[in-house]
């Protein structure tokens, strides 16, 4: 008999969620983790970034309030205190995960894992001790790491990744150049712009947030520029060189060479699946690019070895990893999956917040799906007028023939909290008429959703 029914490698959102679900379904489960419980999302990604953004928004609001005649004596920003606050939050949440695992009687094995066979995992503890464990099934949830493309000068001192930047600094940077206008880039640009740092974003494609609805990236660029951020799109970085004032990012825009200089440079070009050294030399899984290839049940080419989350998924989001972990374990246990993996919300914590779910307008057009779009620009919304976040809007998409909701895009305060209502509607194949049966309170940002849905009903005819 094996030591465990399931060994999960990685205690991030995908790993610990899968382990807890497996234990609840009666599986003898263990988790292997080489670092802190909670993985990248909790310790070096989503959560610390949001903690910093909350603090910087508070600082910006107090600073801007002073300009409106609001009393703001003692206004200051201590970066060491801010990062200490962030650390306290992540450590508390990490300990909470350890408590959950302990309560579910799931051993948390500290060390680096190596898969020796389809049923054997070797764990090398921090002191070098090696212990082999066996299991009926192995689930890989090792996540991702910052990508390092072959840009000349990218590996020198002063070029940071999100991992190193979130460790904290003693003094606020005077200026920063951010390579990459995706989620990581725009969130950290928002943080530093709030604090008064000179920020430049260099994005290789034609807009910020290039994988999302075009209007989002275009609108965000206008708002960023209004707050003093320099945005350079269609800008391909050629090299990074040290100069007297810091680091110069040399890039090309439509055949013209330009540069942006910052005290430091943040490389926010994306993340790569991380499974370095995970398999014994004679045991290699099939891959899809850098990702571990899996089938619809999340099984790799190695029998009884499964993979979920960033290490195998095209969509690198913490909640996707958690959902995949849940569904993978449920299938292993012969239980009907409880989550629809086709409906994926995406959230960005810039200012104002951005959230989307389902089909984008461009995707519908490319796939030949007839759609109608309802929209509400929120200039007349009472809460929007009070908060004054800049141009905010909501868009909802429905199939032109069936009326079924297919997608939604929100750019407004609290968008990341409101998107779940639309995710649920899409997952349950609802129509805008059905969503309009719900009364939305006044005054709220959410009232604008009713306006967008009414506009959609009108266009569906």
């Amino acid at each position: 008999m094996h030591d465990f029914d399931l060994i999960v490698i990685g205690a991030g959102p995908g790993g610990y969620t899968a382990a807890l679900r497996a234990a609840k379904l009666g599986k003898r489960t263990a988790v292997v983790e080489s670092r802190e419980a909670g993985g990248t999302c909790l310790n070096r990604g989503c959560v610390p970034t949001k903690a910093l953004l909350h603090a910087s928004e508070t600082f910006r609001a107090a600073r801007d309030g002073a300009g409106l005649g609001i009393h703001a004596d003692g206004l200051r920003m201590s970066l060491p205190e801010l990062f200490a606050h962030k650390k306290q939050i992540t450590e508390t949440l990490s300990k909470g995960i350890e408590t959950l695992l302990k309560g579910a009687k799931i051993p948390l094995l500290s060390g680096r894992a190596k898969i020796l066979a389809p049923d054997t995992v070797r764990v090398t503890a921090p002191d070098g001790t090696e212990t082999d464990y066996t299991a009926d099934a192995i689930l890989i949830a090792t996540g991702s790491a910052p990508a390092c493309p072959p840009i000349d000068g990218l590996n020198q001192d002063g070029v940071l990744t999100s991992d190193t930047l979130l460790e904290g600094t003693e003094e606020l940077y005077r200026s920063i150049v951010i390579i990459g206008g995706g989620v990581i880039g725009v969130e950290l640009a928002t943080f530093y712009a709030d604090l008064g740092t000179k920020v430049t974003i260099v994005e290789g494609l034609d807009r910020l947030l290039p994988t999302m609805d075009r209007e989002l990236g275009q609108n965000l660029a206008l708002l960023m520029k209004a707050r003093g951020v320099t945005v350079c799109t269609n800008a391909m970085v050629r090299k990074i060189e040290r100069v007297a004032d810091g680091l110069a990012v040399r890039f090309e825009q439509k055949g013209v060479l330009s540069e942006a200089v910052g005290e430091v440079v943040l490389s926010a070009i994306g993340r790569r699946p991380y499974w370095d050294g995970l398999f014994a030399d004679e045991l290699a899984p099939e891959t899809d690019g850098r990702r571990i290839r899996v089938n619809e049940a999340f099984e790799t080419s190695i029998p009884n070895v499964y993979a979920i989350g960033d290490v195998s998924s095209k969509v690198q989001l913490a909640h996707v990893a958690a959902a995949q972990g849940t569904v993978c374990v449920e299938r292993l246990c012969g239980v009907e999956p409880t989550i629809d993996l086709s409906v994926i919300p995406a959230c960005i914590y810039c200012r104002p917040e951005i959230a989307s779910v389902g089909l984008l307008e461009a995707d519908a057009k490319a796939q030949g799906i007839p759609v109608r779009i309802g929209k509400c620009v929120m200039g007349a919304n009472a809460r929007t007028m009070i908060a004054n976040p800049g141009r905010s809007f909501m868009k909802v998409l429905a199939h032109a023939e069936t009326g079924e909701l297919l997608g939604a895009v929100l750019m407004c305060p609290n968008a990341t909290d409101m998107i779940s209502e639309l995710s649920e509607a899409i997952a349950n194949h609802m129509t805008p008429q059905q969503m309009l049966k719900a009364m939305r309170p006044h005054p709220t940002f959410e009232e604008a959703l009713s306006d967008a849905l009414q506009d959609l009903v009108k266009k569906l005819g």
Side-chain angles (χ1 to χ4, degrees), residues 184-230:
I184 296 171
V186 301
E187 287 187 349
L188 290 172
T190 300
F191 169 71
Y192 280 106
D194 282 347
L195 302 185
T197 297
K198 179 184 176 184
V199 179
T200 303
I201 301 175
V202 180
E203 166 58 47
L205 296 178
D206 65 342
R207 64 187 187 278
L208 299 181
L209 307 177
T211 63
M212 302 188 77
D213 183 89
R214 176 173 292 276
E215 190 173 358
L216 292 174
Q218 293 171 338
N219 200 45
L220 181 60
L222 292 173
L223 292 171
M224 286 271 191
K225 289 174 182 177
R227 294 169 189 155
V229 176
T230 301

Coordinates of all heavy atoms in Angstrom, one line a residue, residues 184-230:
I184 N 0.7 42.8 -14.5 CA 1.7 43.2 -13.5 C 2.2 44.6 -13.7 O 2.4 45.4 -12.8 CB 2.9 42.1 -13.6 CG1 2.4 40.7 -13.2 CG2 4.0 42.6 -12.7 CD1 3.4 39.7 -13.5
G185 N 2.5 44.9 -15.0 CA 3.0 46.2 -15.3 C 2.1 47.4 -14.9 O 2.5 48.3 -14.3
V186 N 0.8 47.3 -15.3 CA -0.1 48.4 -15.0 C -0.4 48.5 -13.5 O -0.6 49.6 -13.0 CB -1.4 48.4 -15.8 CG1 -1.0 48.4 -17.3 CG2 -2.2 47.2 -15.5
E187 N -0.5 47.4 -12.8 CA -0.7 47.5 -11.4 C 0.4 48.1 -10.6 O 0.2 49.0 -9.8 CB -1.0 46.1 -10.8 CG -2.3 45.5 -11.2 CD -2.7 44.2 -10.5 OE1 -1.8 43.6 -9.9 OE2 -3.9 43.8 -10.6
L188 N 1.7 47.7 -10.9 CA 2.8 48.3 -10.3 C 3.0 49.8 -10.7 O 3.5 50.6 -10.0 CB 4.0 47.4 -10.4 CG 3.9 46.1 -9.6 CD1 5.1 45.2 -10.0 CD2 3.9 46.4 -8.1
A189 N 2.7 50.1 -12.0 CA 2.7 51.5 -12.4 C 1.8 52.3 -11.6 O 2.1 53.4 -11.2 CB 2.4 51.5 -13.9
T190 N 0.6 51.8 -11.3 CA -0.4 52.5 -10.5 C 0.2 52.8 -9.1 O 0.0 53.9 -8.6 CB -1.7 51.7 -10.4 OG1 -2.2 51.5 -11.7 CG2 -2.7 52.4 -9.6
F191 N 0.8 51.8 -8.5 CA 1.4 51.9 -7.2 C 2.4 53.0 -7.1 O 2.3 53.9 -6.3 CB 2.0 50.6 -6.8 CG 2.8 50.7 -5.5 CD1 2.2 50.8 -4.3 CD2 4.2 50.5 -5.6 CE1 3.0 50.9 -3.1 CE2 5.0 50.6 -4.5 CZ 4.4 50.8 -3.2
Y192 N 3.4 53.0 -8.0 CA 4.4 54.0 -8.0 C 3.9 55.4 -8.4 O 4.4 56.4 -7.9 CB 5.6 53.5 -8.9 CG 6.5 52.5 -8.1 CD1 6.5 51.2 -8.5 CD2 7.3 52.9 -7.1 CE1 7.2 50.3 -7.8 CE2 8.1 52.0 -6.4 CZ 8.0 50.7 -6.7 OH 8.8 49.8 -6.0
A193 N 3.0 55.4 -9.4 CA 2.4 56.7 -9.7 C 1.7 57.4 -8.5 O 1.8 58.6 -8.3 CB 1.5 56.6 -10.9
D194 N 1.0 56.6 -7.8 CA 0.3 57.1 -6.6 C 1.3 57.7 -5.6 O 1.0 58.7 -5.0 CB -0.3 55.9 -5.8 CG -1.7 55.5 -6.4 OD1 -2.2 56.2 -7.3 OD2 -2.2 54.4 -6.0
L195 N 2.5 57.2 -5.5 CA 3.5 57.7 -4.6 C 4.3 58.8 -5.1 O 5.2 59.4 -4.4 CB 4.4 56.5 -4.1 CG 3.7 55.3 -3.5 CD1 4.7 54.4 -2.9 CD2 2.8 55.8 -2.3
G196 N 4.1 59.2 -6.4 CA 4.9 60.3 -7.0 C 6.1 60.0 -7.7 O 6.8 60.9 -8.2
T197 N 6.4 58.7 -7.9 CA 7.5 58.3 -8.7 C 7.2 58.6 -10.2 O 6.1 58.4 -10.7 CB 7.8 56.7 -8.6 OG1 8.1 56.5 -7.2 CG2 8.9 56.3 -9.5
K198 N 8.3 59.0 -10.9 CA 8.1 59.1 -12.4 C 8.1 57.8 -13.0 O 9.1 57.0 -12.9 CB 9.3 60.0 -12.9 CG 9.3 60.2 -14.4 CD 10.5 60.9 -15.0 CE 10.4 61.0 -16.5 NZ 11.7 61.7 -17.0
V199 N 7.0 57.4 -13.7 CA 6.8 56.1 -14.3 C 6.7 56.1 -15.8 O 6.0 57.0 -16.3 CB 5.5 55.5 -13.7 CG1 5.3 54.1 -14.3 CG2 5.6 55.4 -12.2
T200 N 7.4 55.2 -16.4 CA 7.3 55.0 -17.9 C 7.0 53.6 -18.1 O 7.7 52.7 -17.6 CB 8.6 55.4 -18.6 OG1 9.0 56.7 -18.3 CG2 8.5 55.2 -20.1
I201 N 6.0 53.3 -18.9 CA 5.6 51.9 -19.4 C 6.0 51.8 -20.8 O 5.7 52.6 -21.7 CB 4.1 51.7 -19.2 CG1 3.7 51.8 -17.8 CG2 3.8 50.2 -19.7 CD1 2.2 51.7 -17.6
V202 N 6.8 50.7 -21.1 CA 7.2 50.4 -22.5 C 6.5 49.0 -22.8 O 6.8 48.0 -22.3 CB 8.7 50.3 -22.6 CG1 9.1 49.9 -24.0 CG2 9.4 51.6 -22.1
E203 N 5.6 49.1 -23.8 CA 4.8 47.9 -24.2 C 5.1 47.6 -25.7 O 5.0 48.5 -26.5 CB 3.3 48.1 -23.9 CG 2.4 47.1 -24.6 CD 2.7 45.7 -24.2 OE1 2.9 45.4 -23.0 OE2 2.7 44.8 -25.2
G204 N 5.4 46.4 -26.0 CA 5.7 46.0 -27.4 C 4.5 46.0 -28.3 O 4.7 46.2 -29.5
L205 N 3.3 45.7 -27.8 CA 2.1 45.7 -28.7 C 1.5 47.1 -28.8 O 2.0 48.1 -28.2 CB 1.2 44.6 -28.2 CG 1.7 43.2 -28.3 CD1 0.8 42.2 -27.8 CD2 2.2 42.8 -29.7
D206 N 0.3 47.1 -29.4 CA -0.2 48.5 -29.8 C -1.0 49.1 -28.7 O -1.5 50.3 -28.9 CB -1.1 48.3 -31.0 CG -2.3 47.4 -30.8 OD1 -2.4 46.7 -29.8 OD2 -3.3 47.5 -31.6
R207 N -1.2 48.5 -27.5 CA -1.9 49.1 -26.4 C -1.6 48.4 -25.1 O -1.0 47.3 -25.1 CB -3.4 49.0 -26.7 CG -4.0 47.6 -26.7 CD -5.4 47.5 -27.1 NE -6.0 46.2 -27.0 CZ -5.9 45.2 -27.9 NH1 -5.2 45.4 -29.0 NH2 -6.5 44.1 -27.7
L208 N -1.9 49.1 -24.0 CA -1.9 48.4 -22.7 C -2.9 47.3 -22.7 O -3.9 47.3 -23.4 CB -2.1 49.4 -21.6 CG -1.2 50.6 -21.5 CD1 -1.6 51.5 -20.3 CD2 0.3 50.1 -21.3
L209 N -2.6 46.3 -21.8 CA -3.5 45.1 -21.6 C -3.9 44.5 -23.0 O -5.1 44.4 -23.3 CB -4.8 45.5 -20.9 CG -4.6 46.2 -19.5 CD1 -5.9 46.7 -18.9 CD2 -3.8 45.4 -18.6
P210 N -2.9 44.2 -23.8 CA -3.2 43.8 -25.2 C -4.1 42.5 -25.3 O -4.6 42.3 -26.4 CB -1.8 43.6 -25.8 CG -0.9 43.3 -24.6 CD -1.5 44.1 -23.5
T211 N -4.2 41.7 -24.3 CA -5.0 40.5 -24.4 C -6.4 40.7 -24.0 O -7.3 39.8 -24.1 CB -4.4 39.3 -23.5 OG1 -4.5 39.7 -22.1 CG2 -3.0 39.0 -23.9
M212 N -6.8 41.9 -23.6 CA -8.1 42.2 -23.2 C -8.9 43.1 -24.2 O -8.3 43.4 -25.2 CB -8.1 42.8 -21.8 CG -7.4 42.0 -20.7 SD -7.5 42.6 -19.0 CE -9.2 42.1 -18.7
D213 N -10.1 43.4 -23.9 CA -10.9 44.3 -24.7 C -10.1 45.6 -25.1 O -9.5 46.2 -24.2 CB -12.2 44.7 -24.0 CG -13.1 45.5 -24.8 OD1 -14.0 44.9 -25.5 OD2 -13.0 46.7 -24.7
R214 N -10.1 45.9 -26.4 CA -9.3 47.0 -26.8 C -9.6 48.3 -26.1 O -8.7 49.1 -25.8 CB -9.5 47.2 -28.4 CG -8.8 48.4 -29.0 CD -8.9 48.4 -30.5 NE -8.2 47.3 -31.1 CZ -6.9 47.3 -31.3 NH1 -6.2 48.4 -31.1 NH2 -6.3 46.3 -31.9
E215 N -10.9 48.6 -25.8 CA -11.3 49.8 -25.2 C -10.6 50.0 -23.8 O -10.4 51.1 -23.3 CB -12.8 49.9 -25.1 CG -13.3 51.3 -24.7 CD -14.8 51.4 -24.7 OE1 -15.5 50.5 -25.2 OE2 -15.3 52.5 -24.4
L216 N -10.4 48.8 -23.1 CA -9.8 48.9 -21.8 C -8.4 49.5 -21.8 O -8.1 50.4 -21.1 CB -9.8 47.5 -21.2 CG -11.1 46.9 -20.8 CD1 -10.9 45.4 -20.3 CD2 -11.9 47.7 -19.8
G217 N -7.6 48.9 -22.7 CA -6.2 49.4 -22.8 C -6.1 50.8 -23.3 O -5.3 51.6 -22.8
Q218 N -6.9 51.2 -24.2 CA -6.9 52.6 -24.7 C -7.4 53.6 -23.6 O -6.7 54.6 -23.5 CB -7.8 52.7 -26.0 CG -7.3 51.9 -27.2 CD -8.3 51.8 -28.3 OE1 -9.5 52.0 -28.1 NE2 -7.8 51.6 -29.5
N219 N -8.4 53.2 -22.9 CA -8.9 54.1 -21.9 C -7.9 54.2 -20.7 O -7.7 55.3 -20.2 CB -10.3 53.5 -21.4 CG -11.1 54.6 -20.7 OD1 -11.2 55.7 -21.1 ND2 -11.6 54.2 -19.5
L220 N -7.3 53.1 -20.4 CA -6.4 53.1 -19.3 C -5.1 53.9 -19.6 O -4.6 54.6 -18.7 CB -5.9 51.6 -18.9 CG -4.9 51.5 -17.8 CD1 -5.5 52.0 -16.5 CD2 -4.5 50.0 -17.6
A221 N -4.7 53.9 -20.9 CA -3.5 54.7 -21.3 C -3.9 56.2 -21.1 O -3.0 56.9 -20.6 CB -3.2 54.4 -22.7
L222 N -5.0 56.6 -21.5 CA -5.4 58.0 -21.3 C -5.4 58.4 -19.8 O -4.9 59.5 -19.5 CB -6.8 58.2 -21.9 CG -6.9 58.1 -23.5 CD1 -8.3 58.2 -23.9 CD2 -6.0 59.2 -24.1
L223 N -6.0 57.5 -19.0 CA -6.0 57.8 -17.5 C -4.6 57.8 -16.9 O -4.3 58.7 -16.1 CB -6.9 56.8 -16.8 CG -8.4 56.8 -17.1 CD1 -9.1 55.6 -16.5 CD2 -9.0 58.1 -16.6
M224 N -3.8 56.9 -17.4 CA -2.4 56.9 -16.9 C -1.6 58.1 -17.3 O -0.9 58.7 -16.4 CB -1.7 55.6 -17.4 CG -2.1 54.3 -16.8 SD -1.1 53.9 -15.4 CE -1.6 52.2 -15.1
K225 N -1.8 58.5 -18.5 CA -1.1 59.7 -19.0 C -1.6 61.0 -18.2 O -0.8 61.9 -17.9 CB -1.3 59.9 -20.5 CG -0.6 58.9 -21.3 CD -1.0 59.0 -22.8 CE -0.3 57.9 -23.6 NZ -0.7 58.0 -25.1
A226 N -2.9 61.0 -17.9 CA -3.4 62.2 -17.1 C -2.8 62.2 -15.7 O -2.8 63.3 -15.1 CB -4.9 62.1 -17.0
R227 N -2.3 61.1 -15.2 CA -1.7 61.0 -13.9 C -0.2 61.1 -13.9 O 0.5 60.9 -13.0 CB -2.1 59.7 -13.2 CG -3.6 59.7 -12.9 CD -4.1 58.3 -12.4 NE -5.6 58.3 -12.4 CZ -6.3 57.2 -12.5 NH1 -5.7 56.0 -12.6 NH2 -7.6 57.2 -12.4
G228 N 0.3 61.5 -15.1 CA 1.8 61.7 -15.2 C 2.6 60.5 -15.7 O 3.8 60.6 -15.8
V229 N 2.0 59.4 -16.0 CA 2.7 58.2 -16.5 C 2.9 58.3 -18.0 O 2.0 58.7 -18.7 CB 1.9 56.9 -16.2 CG1 2.6 55.7 -16.7 CG2 1.7 56.7 -14.7
T230 N 4.2 58.1 -18.4 CA 4.5 58.0 -19.8 C 4.2 56.6 -20.3 O 4.7 55.7 -19.8 CB 6.0 58.4 -20.0 OG1 6.2 59.7 -19.5 CG2 6.3 58.4 -21.5

